[in-house]
Amino acid sequence: MARKQGEVMWPRLVANKILRKPLGSNNFVTDFPGNDGPDGIVLEAPSFDQPSSNSTSTIFNHHKDTNTHKYKVFVSTWNVGGVEPQQDMNIKDWIDTSCDIYVFGFQEVVPLKASNVLGSENSSICMKWNSLIREALNKKTHYYSQENLKHDKHDHEGNPNIIESSNNPREFHCIISKQMVGILISVWVRSNIRPFIRHPNVSCVGCGIMGCLGNKGSVSVRFRLHETSFCFVCTHLASGSREGDEKLRNSNVADILSRTSFPRGPLLDLPRKILDHDRVIFLGDLNYRISLPEATTRSLVERREWNALLKHDQLMMELKEGQVLEGWDEGAIQFAPTYKYCPNSNVYYGCRPANRGEKRRAPAWCDRIIWRGKGLKQHEYGRGTSKLSDHRPVKAIFTAEVGVLRTLKGYHSFFLSDRLDKISSQLQVSSADDFLCKGSTKSRSFKI
């Protein structure tokens, strides 16, 4: 008999805990299933052909002669409080469509009740958020001005991918979307850099009930763009505003870093752990609070004295003392605390008379984006205004340095131009070069 939606599965969960098996599977939703990763569930588009072991990407892995080019990366995190998005919800104004890669992280996409934590996942919520993202990215068309185009050509001379992107309409596709209970991460890329993304994978870690359930924890995704590996860790850490609760959050982070594991790949050359990747971004409802009396916190918030509050921000103090995520960076916070708001209001929870027995929660910067890796530079860090939940969304925009093989310059037209046949007939290539070209056309379909 088929399992009913929300059916409680205690025996399997307890067994997984005893055997220390990871929560969730390595399957994910994508527009391109079957390409350099585990079996995916098609979201919209047909898949590329499965690369062979003799594909261009495999051969290029042996070359280390690279140029460095830059791509813009948009990252956001939002605890939506179990509220389903409405069909007419508009997130277009939240998204900067000048970027190349988009990473959307959500927490509590479903209410964290027992049937959701212990039962099967509700994939319809994931589909609703992905539909909104697709519409926002692909309908809010953006073109560079002629001045920006000249600037891009100057800054990225010799990089055909970035120059191409300025001339084409912006079209984005989902390369990875993964949900674990209430945590959802969805990664989207511009269509003409998709052929250069390989080895997408996911890894789920539950840190909630029993130390393993998915009401808290992380969903991490990784992929390689050209010769540079990326890892994005979407998290929801332990809640609580009592003294010492920050140590529980530190423990969650340590669990996530130690238990997250990715496949090594067919050549055993891919990073396995989070910290092994070249560019790492940690995002989510980290739940760190402000270690001040509630009255003092509220008074400073009313006066918008962010610096005075941030001196007592738990995450900043833990980072400074090396208790958690030592060596990671965070941009300057110049926005109001993102938590906790009254429903559909700009008023912080607790500012109005509370019901008897109701918990009072002081404002805090629970929702954060931090990063690790020398090749990342943050240009924007801010919060949104949506009143959908008791949290406000947070976003950051980065420039990421990516290693691109010099070999690709010689094959610019081959990879990205519609004049493939004409160029192929004119080129005089060696047997090795001919092998590369044939492998490329066989293994991938490049649609720009």
Side-chain angles (χ1 to χ4, degrees):
M1 182 181 294
R3 287 189 183 275
K4 296 180 180 179
Q5 179 70 25
E7 181 182 348
V8 175
M9 297 177 290
W10 273 106
R12 179 175 64 84
L13 293 167
V14 173
N16 285 351
K17 172 63 176 175
I18 294 172
L19 298 173
R20 299 189 63 80
K21 291 179 64 178
L23 185 68
S25 70
N26 60 355
N27 293 331
F28 54 84
V29 174
T30 177
D31 283 350
F32 307 96
N35 189 32
D36 279 328
D39 293 336
I41 303 171
V42 66
L43 192 61
E44 181 192 62
S47 66
F48 289 115
D49 294 332
Q50 179 71 22
S52 68
S53 60
N54 293 325
S55 69
T56 303
S57 60
T58 301
I59 294 173
F60 281 168
N61 283 342
H62 297 293
H63 294 268
K64 300 301 180 184
D65 189 16
T66 61
N67 287 324
T68 299
H69 298 297
K70 297 178 180 179
Y71 291 86
K72 286 183 70 177
V73 182
F74 173 99
V75 180
S76 71
T77 179
W78 192 3
N79 185 321
V80 295
V83 180
E84 288 190 31
Q86 298 303 308
Q87 192 171 6
D88 59 351
M89 183 177 176
N90 183 5
I91 62 171
K92 296 183 181 70
D93 293 338
W94 171 241
I95 297 173
D96 182 330
T97 53
S98 68
C99 296
D100 304 295
I101 300 170
Y102 291 83
V103 181
F104 298 91
F106 299 93
Q107 302 80 42
E108 297 189 40
V109 294
V110 295
L112 300 183
K113 57 186 180 180
S115 59
N116 288 328
V117 175
L118 302 174
S120 54
E121 289 172 359
N122 183 353
S123 61
S124 65
I125 303 300
C126 170
M127 293 179 66
K128 287 182 179 180
W129 281 110
N130 280 323
S131 294
L132 283 173
I133 293 168
R134 187 185 302 280
E135 181 180 3
L137 286 175
N138 289 327
K139 286 196 175 181
K140 187 176 179 180
T141 306
H142 175 84
Y143 295 93
Y144 277 125
S145 66
Q146 288 300 315
E147 292 158 336
N148 284 339
L149 178 57
K150 291 176 184 176
H151 177 72
D152 280 353
K153 286 184 177 179
H154 175 74
D155 281 358
H156 306 295
E157 187 175 357
N159 180 5
N161 310 316
I162 294 183
I163 294 175
E164 265 314 301
S165 72
S166 301
N167 291 324
N168 291 336
R170 298 273 161 163
E171 188 172 285
F172 297 91
H173 297 286
C174 179
I175 61 166
I176 303 176
S177 179
K178 178 66 175 178
Q179 179 185 353
M180 179 187 73
V181 188
I183 301 173
L184 168 65
I185 186 168
S186 190
V187 182
W188 298 67
V189 300
R190 201 164 21 81
S191 58
N192 59 340
I193 69 169
R194 170 61 190 88
F196 305 105
I197 288 178
R198 294 167 288 142
H199 309 299
N201 294 107
V202 300
S203 179
C204 300
V205 173
C207 300
I209 302 168
M210 299 169 57
C212 73
L213 297 193
N215 55 307
K216 295 292 190 293
S218 67
V219 178
S220 300
V221 303
R222 75 91 176 273
F223 57 86
R224 179 176 282 175
L225 173 57
H226 291 292
E227 298 307 302
T228 300
S229 60
F230 286 80
C231 184
F232 298 92
V233 186
C234 183
T235 61
H236 193 185
L237 304 184
S239 60
S241 55
R242 296 174 299 182
E243 184 177 354
D245 282 344
E246 67 275 13
K247 303 305 179 185
L248 296 176
R249 296 184 266 278
N250 292 354
S251 178
N252 286 170
V253 172
D255 275 353
I256 289 166
L257 293 177
S258 65
R259 291 165 54 194
T260 299
S261 181
F262 297 101
R264 291 300 308 275
L267 297 180
L268 303 180
D269 63 340
L270 298 176
R272 189 168 181 83
K273 308 300 289 183
I274 290 172
L275 300 182
D276 295 335
H277 291 78
D278 300 316
R279 314 283 181 259
V280 186
I281 296 180
F282 207 89
L283 58 135
D285 179 1
L286 307 190
N287 256 321
Y288 286 95
R289 310 303 170 91
I290 297 170
S291 294
L292 284 173
E294 181 184 336
T296 305
T297 299
R298 293 188 185 279
S299 175
L300 291 171
V301 168
E302 287 179 7
R303 300 201 299 270
R304 301 180 67 83
E305 295 187 19
W306 309 143
N307 289 337
L309 282 165
L310 288 167
K311 289 179 181 178
H312 302 275
D313 175 79
Q314 290 177 350
L315 178 57
M316 288 194 169
M317 291 192 297
E318 297 297 296
L319 285 168
K320 186 176 180 180
E321 295 172 7
Q323 299 298 313
V324 65
L325 297 168
E326 186 174 6
W328 292 62
D329 296 303
E330 183 179 26
I333 294 178
Q334 298 176 334
F335 50 86
T338 58
Y339 174 83
K340 174 182 170 101
Y341 285 90
C342 294
N344 197 32
S345 168
N346 283 324
V347 177
Y348 283 107
Y349 193 82
C351 293
R352 295 171 176 170
N355 296 327
R356 186 174 181 179
E358 196 173 32
K359 292 182 179 179
R360 293 171 60 89
R361 293 181 174 88
W365 285 280
C366 289
D367 310 278
R368 311 288 273 269
I369 300 171
I370 61 178
W371 75 92
R372 184 179 186 272
K374 294 181 180 179
L376 288 168
K377 182 179 179 181
Q378 191 182 79
H379 301 282
E380 182 179 335
Y381 193 27
R383 51 163 261 176
T385 58
S386 173
K387 302 173 186 176
L388 181 71
S389 74
D390 53 357
H391 290 251
R392 294 297 180 262
V394 171
K395 71 177 178 181
I397 295 177
F398 296 88
T399 296
E401 294 182 357
V402 173
V404 180
L405 287 162
R406 296 179 191 273
T407 313
L408 287 181
K409 292 176 66 177
Y411 296 109
H412 172 202
S413 297
F414 177 84
F415 281 114
L416 298 176
S417 173
D418 293 331
R419 298 171 297 161
L420 168 62
D421 294 334
K422 181 188 290 186
I423 293 174
S424 298
S425 65
Q426 293 174 352
L427 283 173
Q428 298 295 322
V429 295
S430 66
S431 59
D433 290 334
D434 187 53
F435 176 78
L436 288 175
C437 292
K438 288 178 180 177
S440 299
T441 55
K442 182 177 180 181
S443 63
R444 299 193 178 196
S445 172
F446 294 90
K447 297 180 180 179
I448 307 302

